Structures are given as C-alpha cells and as structure tokens.
Amino acid sequence: ESRLRHPCGFVPASSCPVTTHDSNPAHDPNPMTAAASICLLRTSAIGDVTHVVPLVRTLQQARPDTSLTWIVGKLERKLVGDLAGVEFVTFDKAAGWAGMRAVHAALRGRRFDALLQMQVALRSNLLSLGIKANKRVGYDHARSKDLHGLVINERIPARTGEHVLDAIGSFCEPLELKQTQVRWDIPIPEEAHAWAAEQLHGDTPTLLVSPTSSHALRNWRPERYAAAMDHAAARGWRVALVGGPSAGERTMADAVLAHCQRKPLDLTGKDTLKKLLALLSRASLLLTPDSGPMHMANAVGTKVLGLHAASNPNRSGPYSDRRWCVNKYDEAARKYLGKPASDIPWGSKIERPGVMDLIGVDEVVERYEAAARELNLF
C-alpha cells in the first residue's frame, strides 16, 4: 500500500492530494509548471538523498508525464537508484574532474526545462555548469555559498526554521507546485528482506544501534552506547550493532563491543544500504547520532532515538517524529557559543570536542523507556 508521512505519522496516500495546483498540463497557463523534463542535482549524502525522495514523489504525482533525471552520488545511488520512473546519472566524486566529465558526457546534447540545484557545495556548483537548463533553481541568498548564485537564475523562497526535508521540498515551488505531503516508498528487494529476516528472526523487540556518523564530533562515547545497549538487553530486547565496512566504523563497533556486558548481535560491515533499510524496517527502535541511517529509519517508519548536541534536531533530526530524541543543542550553544540556540543562525553546527558528552546515559535510557511504552513492548 502506498503511504504518506506526516510529521505526526502515516496517512493513506489516497486520502490527501500532493499539490494545490491544477495537475493537468493542458490547463496550465504557465508552461514551466508543466515542464517536460527536470534534472535534479543532489549527489550526497545518504540522509539528504533520502530527503529528496519525497520531492520526486511530489513531482511524479503532480506531473506524471514529466521526465525526471537525477544526478546522484555513486554510493547514494545504491539506496535510491531503483526508484521507478527516474533516470539516474551517477556522479563519482572520488574520480574528481573525470567524474564531472562523465556526467557531462552522459547529458551531452540535452537541455532540460528545469534544473533543481539542491546542493550548494563548490563541487556541485561546478558540476551544474555542464548541465543545460532553461530554469535553474537554487537556494535563497541566506543558504547560498561557494558561488551558488552564479549557477542559478531563480531561488526557492527564503525561509528560516525549516527542516532540511522541507527546504528540499520547496524546490518544486518555482514550478508552481507545493509539497504538502511527504512519501518515500524506497524499494527494498525481496532478497534484502529475506536476509534481514534471517538476522532479526521472530517478533522479539529489537534495538538497532548505528553508532557512527560521518562527522566524528557527532559520535557518542562507546562506553555510553554500551551502557544503553545493556539496559535494553536487560529489558528483554534483542540488540544489534550495525555500521558500514569502513575502518572507522569497525573501530567504533569494536570499542562499543568491548564495553558491553551483554554481547549484542554484531552486523557491522555485513549489510548493504538495501539490507540496512530492510533491517531498519524490522527494528523497533534505532539509536544513532545525526547520520544517514537516522533518515533511512524514518523513511521506513521506524522510531529513532537520535542523539543531538552538535546539530539541531528540528533542522536535521528524524523528520516524522522527534519525540524520542535527546536534544542538547541549546545547552551546547550556551556552553560553546555563549548564547541560546535561538540566537545563532539556523542550521549552525556545534561540532566541538566533547559536545556529545552533554548527553548522559540516563537521558537516553529515559527516551528508550518512553518509546518502548509507546510501542507496548514491555
């Protein structure tokens, strides 16, 4: 069943329209709203790519005859590259200039009605120069950087206080559309579901722990993860540790395991992005810092116990339900910046050594207990 996501939960897709604009291009007085071809440029990272999927769904529902081409990173394509009705062009950023030339070669001779340039990094701005489009939509002035303004000719509405997903969703507004509902439906292959069922068999409540962010200063201490995991295990939950194959993630996993009194299932480095999505869909709760798996879990409807001190959960936390997060962002702003979070620019990162130590084990255990009661798993 196709489903939509509200900030307060799920509603059936058939119960609410995606746009407030006439979806029949033949009746559309503005030809750009009926753009025949749209190029989306958002290459990374995993969490942000996850946030683009609802925009794709909005465009597909509003303009089913529009051709969509998405320029996406090599790793990120493994997560979203099987979305139906979307042409994918892979950008291998590790290849440097050769990676850019490969994208430009793949699009040679083509011109899009609209380019949605959803990444402001210099590399992405340079990449966009080789993409021909009549309408080049980018961020507002406040969110622009690295010469972003030079590669676009129109901007999304200037807003503050938005979640990243809502900011990305607003890229359809210059096309006279509005993202009023949010839907993911990222495909999960049957073999991934089968593998996940082998790892997490039965109906035992399961806490997945993904301890490593690509931003090291967002990571919690291994011994604190272990203490929270031991608490869940003592409550009769199955606990599983997950992570990618990188050396850093293996090191973190080993450090966590060394402090665990009750050894969890260690799946670090054993999954793929699709298998992780399947694992998350079977889990009861995910414990993680601000990271890609946080947003993958949110996309499949799994509750997230997010750890936030270095980043603002209202901007980059799990979109649909942040009740189970530990939020120390304001305390971090006061300690490290000398002012409350309300007085610093929206989206500011407070990635300082020791900032995640503001989150105590007792606070995480309290959120775990509250989520478990909500799920009726005690």
Side-chain angles (χ1 to χ4, degrees):
E1 178 186 6
S2 178
R3 303 185 75 83
L4 297 174
R5 177 76 87 151
H6 277 298
C8 59
F10 283 119
V11 294
S14 59
S15 68
C16 40
V18 171
T19 72
T20 57
H21 197 83
D22 181 359
S23 62
N24 184 352
H27 298 154
D28 201 324
N30 182 349
M32 274 313 305
T33 63
S37 61
I38 298 174
C39 181
L40 301 93
L41 198 163
R42 182 78 207 198
T43 64
S44 62
I46 291 295
D48 291 315
V49 165
T50 304
H51 295 327
V52 174
V53 175
L55 174 62
V56 170
R57 300 306 188 193
T58 295
L59 294 171
Q60 287 178 323
Q61 182 165 330
R63 301 288 183 235
D65 295 330
T66 293
S67 171
L68 299 179
T69 299
W70 184 351
I71 302 171
V72 70
K74 185 177 180 179
L75 172 64
E76 291 77 6
R77 182 169 180 171
K78 295 178 180 179
L79 177 64
V80 298
D82 54 354
L83 292 180
V86 181
E87 172 196 17
F88 286 88
V89 176
T90 301
F91 173 52
D92 183 0
K93 64 181 180 181
W97 291 108
M100 289 192 188
R101 288 194 296 270
V103 171
H104 297 161
L107 299 177
R108 186 171 293 125
R110 298 174 62 179
R111 188 176 191 90
F112 296 94
D113 291 313
L115 166 68
L116 307 186
Q117 166 52 324
M118 296 177 282
Q119 197 149 358
V120 298
L122 179 59
R123 176 167 46 200
S124 296
N125 290 327
L126 292 174
L127 177 62
S128 75
L129 289 173
I131 303 168
K132 296 180 174 62
N134 299 327
K135 193 181 193 78
R136 306 177 67 90
V137 181
Y139 284 95
D140 57 281
H141 289 281
R143 289 178 280 195
S144 294
K145 63 179 182 178
D146 293 343
L147 307 179
H148 186 66
L150 299 180
V151 302
I152 61 174
N153 57 23
E154 189 161 343
R155 298 178 183 271
I156 62 173
R159 298 183 181 120
T160 189
E162 281 189 317
H163 192 280
V164 173
L165 186 147
D166 289 323
I168 288 175
S170 71
F171 271 80
C172 68
E173 294 182 30
L175 305 182
E176 302 299 323
L177 301 173
K178 184 76 172 179
Q179 182 166 289
T180 59
Q181 303 296 334
V182 173
R183 179 167 64 94
W184 284 274
D185 291 340
I186 301 174
I188 304 176
E190 283 304 316
E191 57 267 28
H193 277 303
W195 180 85
E198 290 177 2
Q199 314 309 312
L200 306 179
H201 51 82
D203 298 323
T204 304
T206 300
L207 173 68
L208 284 191
V209 181
S210 179
T212 311
S213 169
S214 59
H215 297 245
L217 292 175
R218 297 181 189 176
N219 292 338
W220 208 29
R221 290 184 178 272
E223 61 270 24
R224 298 189 183 188
Y225 279 119
M229 292 161 67
D230 284 339
H231 177 87
R235 294 287 267 155
W237 280 42
R238 173 171 48 204
V239 180
L241 196 60
V242 295
S246 71
E249 288 171 281
R250 183 68 261 170
T251 297
M252 170 63 93
D254 288 340
V256 172
L257 291 168
H259 287 92
C260 286
Q261 300 300 311
R262 299 168 180 258
K263 295 304 179 185
L265 177 64
D266 181 17
L267 298 176
T268 306
K270 296 180 181 179
D271 60 19
T272 62
L273 287 173
K274 290 296 191 182
K275 288 179 178 178
L276 176 57
L277 208 58
L279 285 174
L280 290 166
S281 71
R282 294 185 65 83
S284 309
L285 184 68
L286 173 71
L287 171 61
T288 187
D290 190 349
S291 63
M294 167 182 287
H295 306 295
M296 292 170 63
N298 182 80
V300 297
T302 297
K303 294 183 183 299
V304 179
L305 202 173
L307 306 178
H308 291 271
S311 60
N312 184 350
N314 293 319
R315 178 185 178 273
S316 61
Y319 180 78
S320 304
D321 192 350
R322 295 184 282 280
R323 290 177 295 163
W324 320 112
C325 293
V326 177
N327 182 3
K328 290 289 186 172
Y329 183 69
D330 183 69
E331 187 174 329
R334 294 172 187 274
K335 177 176 180 177
Y336 291 96
L337 304 179
K339 58 185 71 173
S342 58
D343 289 349
I344 64 177
W346 184 256
S348 296
K349 306 293 192 303
I350 313 175
E351 295 180 344
R352 305 291 183 86
V355 67
M356 294 298 286
D357 290 343
L358 294 172
I359 299 174
V361 173
D362 288 348
E363 293 162 311
V364 172
V365 167
E366 186 278 328
R367 287 292 80 199
Y368 159 78
E369 291 281 335
R373 287 194 298 272
E374 174 81 6
L375 291 165
N376 295 315
L377 293 177
F378 286 152

